[in-house]
Amino acid sequence: MSDALDTAAKPIKKPKRVLPERYKAYRGVWVFIEHEHGQVHPVSWELLGKGRELADKLGVELAGVLLGGDDDGVRALAHEAGAHGADLCYLARHPVLHDYRNQPYTAGMTALVNTYQPEILLLGATTQGRDLAGSVATTLLTGLTADCTGLDIDPSDRALLSSRPTFGGSLMCTIVNLATRPQMATVRPRVMPLPARDGARTARIVEHALSLDEDAVVTKVLDFIPDARADKPQLPFADFIVSGGRGLGKPENFELVGRLARTLGAEVGASRPAVHAGWAEAERQVGQSGKTVRPKLYLAAGISGAVQHRVGMEGADVIAGINLDPAAPLFDFANYALIGNATALLPALDVAFARRLAAARARLATPTEEAV
Ligand code: FAD
């Protein structure tokens, strides 16, 4: 065996974790509650679910953090944070915070962190969350692990263990912030399960006054123009997804995926090669550099199940695969394996499901004897 291999086999010596004295009082787990026009992004509730677990392991409180304008009902959102597991909610309201802008939100969030000193701060890996997390981390001079797929606590030293794919998704790594607080992480929507809502739970509200000046903010919001494409794919929140990959061979065959999806009322997903071939829009790509999904059923046709695809869909309740190759990696973690040619099996499933659904609809439309 070569020296290099010999060395690699030895356990890695972990660096000694020395947390500077000034951070030792930092306590509590915080989740940034992202909202726009009164609507909370569901990733915030998903993070409260994970945050609850982390806070319980650390024996500390779980807090939601809400920033917003005076008039936009953010107080009501704080109660919703309680229903999703928060013990308390920090609330900073100011007219300057009415619409999300990086500069005042960074100022507000860093002021809250410096005042109340949480040990962990979690944000959604959304457009807004990514924008805010980066500037808050650099302003506070603390570490940030982006796009985590797993979060846990090391009980020996209360450190946040942030796991995420690395080296192009071929390895998983766990990142630990040894020297600063808060420990920050972002997580993509649908990576963590949504916790059950408990309407009887309430959160204490801690109002924090911020002094912000509109004149000092360099970006101005002139208008709000909703996304014109109301029909754009909603993959992350779909209950049923039929997805196609390179194995389908040509665009006409990829059409079979769309046909079955329409019959089932499902969304269409795609692997990266299928998107690169132009068979599906980029918004339909599932995986490490696409969307993370968590449907009730994920049916993958002509997809091998490479790890970069797997990380985006393994949270599905049921995974079924259609593949010519019984040794395809997808079958290592799928619940159902259909071994065969997808160009024959997709239309066969379409016919079978259409017949079943038509029969079910007919049964529902026929009044039963009791109803008569
Ligand atoms: P293939 O791996 O070529 O698999 C095709 C499968 O179809 C095979 O298993 C074959 O047996 C089967 N097949 C062939 N013909 C038929 C037939 N007639 N009927 C049924 N089965 C058939 N990939 C993603 O999907 N999403 C990502 O977000 C993503 N991000 C990436 C990020 C990085 C940094 C890198 C390096 C790669 C990324 N990839 C991603 C690419 C990934 O590594 C794989 O190359 C990709 O997922 C493979 O796509 P596929 O399964 O469609 O194709």
Side-chain angles (χ1 to χ4, degrees):
M1 189 184 276
S2 76
D3 277 358
L5 281 175
D6 198 24
T7 311
K10 285 180 187 153
I12 300 161
K13 192 166 173 256
K14 279 190 196 164
K16 199 163 169 266
R17 292 173 185 168
V18 186
L19 189 65
E21 205 54 43
R22 66 182 182 283
Y23 292 122
K24 291 208 168 132
Y26 280 56
R27 285 288 180 270
V29 178
W30 283 17
V31 172
F32 171 62
I33 310 294
E34 176 178 334
H35 61 99
E36 196 176 44
H37 298 267
Q39 295 293 314
V40 172
H41 195 296
V43 72
S44 307
W45 304 148
E46 293 163 13
L47 286 177
L48 280 179
K50 177 46 83 174
R52 181 74 268 158
E53 247 178 78
L54 302 178
D56 289 346
K57 282 189 182 174
L58 288 165
V60 295
E61 287 192 309
L62 171 67
V65 189
L66 269 161
L67 297 116
D70 272 342
D71 56 345
D72 52 5
V74 273
R75 235 188 137 79
L77 303 183
H79 290 297
E80 268 307 294
H84 286 89
D87 299 309
L88 74 159
C89 212
Y90 292 100
L91 194 58
R93 291 189 291 170
H94 194 288
V96 174
L97 298 171
H98 181 79
D99 289 301
Y100 174 78
R101 284 173 294 170
N102 177 275
Q103 197 185 346
Y105 267 64
T106 301
M109 181 62 97
T110 51
L112 288 167
V113 167
N114 286 329
T115 308
Y116 301 101
Q117 305 188 331
E119 58 202 303
I120 293 174
L121 170 57
L122 308 176
L123 301 94
T126 56
T127 308
Q128 196 185 114
R130 285 177 170 150
D131 183 59
L132 183 62
S135 58
V136 167
T138 45
T139 308
L140 293 169
L141 297 177
T142 191
L144 164 67
T145 309
D147 284 5
C148 298
T149 51
L151 295 171
D152 205 351
I153 299 294
D154 181 343
S156 70
D157 59 1
R158 309 178 65 86
L160 177 69
L161 306 173
S162 307
S163 303
R164 53 154 298 146
T166 188
F167 284 102
S170 54
L171 291 175
M172 289 296 290
C173 66
T174 298
I175 296 168
V176 186
N177 173 353
L178 306 175
T180 58
R181 295 290 179 265
Q183 304 156 94
M184 288 181 61
T186 63
V187 179
R188 288 208 264 169
R190 308 302 273 162
V191 169
M192 305 294 175
L194 189 68
R197 184 182 179 282
D198 176 358
R201 272 191 109 266
T202 52
R204 280 177 357 259
I205 293 180
V206 179
E207 284 255 18
H208 184 91
L210 290 172
S211 69
L212 297 167
D213 176 9
E214 178 60 48
D215 290 340
V217 183
V218 295
T219 49
K220 305 292 171 197
V221 178
L222 303 179
D223 199 0
F224 177 77
I225 303 165
D227 196 333
R229 290 187 312 142
D231 62 340
K232 72 175 184 177
Q234 292 301 330
L235 227 50
F237 298 97
D239 278 340
F240 300 98
I241 296 175
V242 184
S243 218
R246 179 155 44 202
L248 291 168
K250 49 183 176 178
E252 300 87 285
N253 291 343
F254 195 86
E255 283 288 305
L256 301 171
V257 168
R259 208 178 299 162
L260 178 57
R262 273 193 298 282
T263 301
L264 292 174
E267 279 283 359
V268 172
S271 70
R272 189 162 86 162
V275 168
H276 281 184
W279 304 342
E281 309 130 272
E283 276 161 335
R284 299 200 179 274
Q285 183 178 318
V286 174
Q288 185 187 321
S289 45
K291 301 277 189 270
T292 302
V293 299
R294 199 175 261 281
K296 292 187 175 125
L297 171 69
Y298 189 87
L299 174 60
I303 294 180
S304 59
V307 65
Q308 294 88 355
H309 189 81
R310 178 178 178 167
V311 292
M313 44 68 92
E314 63 188 346
D317 291 346
V318 174
I319 296 169
I322 304 178
N323 204 302
L324 282 174
D325 178 7
L330 186 89
F331 294 145
D332 293 343
F333 58 95
N335 304 87
Y336 296 97
L338 286 87
I339 317 283
N341 192 332
T343 58
L345 285 172
L346 283 170
L349 286 173
D350 189 28
V351 170
F353 278 120
R355 200 176 295 147
R356 287 246 170 174
L357 287 167
R361 281 190 201 107
R363 262 202 313 281
L364 287 172
T366 312
T368 60
E369 274 181 30
E370 296 91 273
V372 174

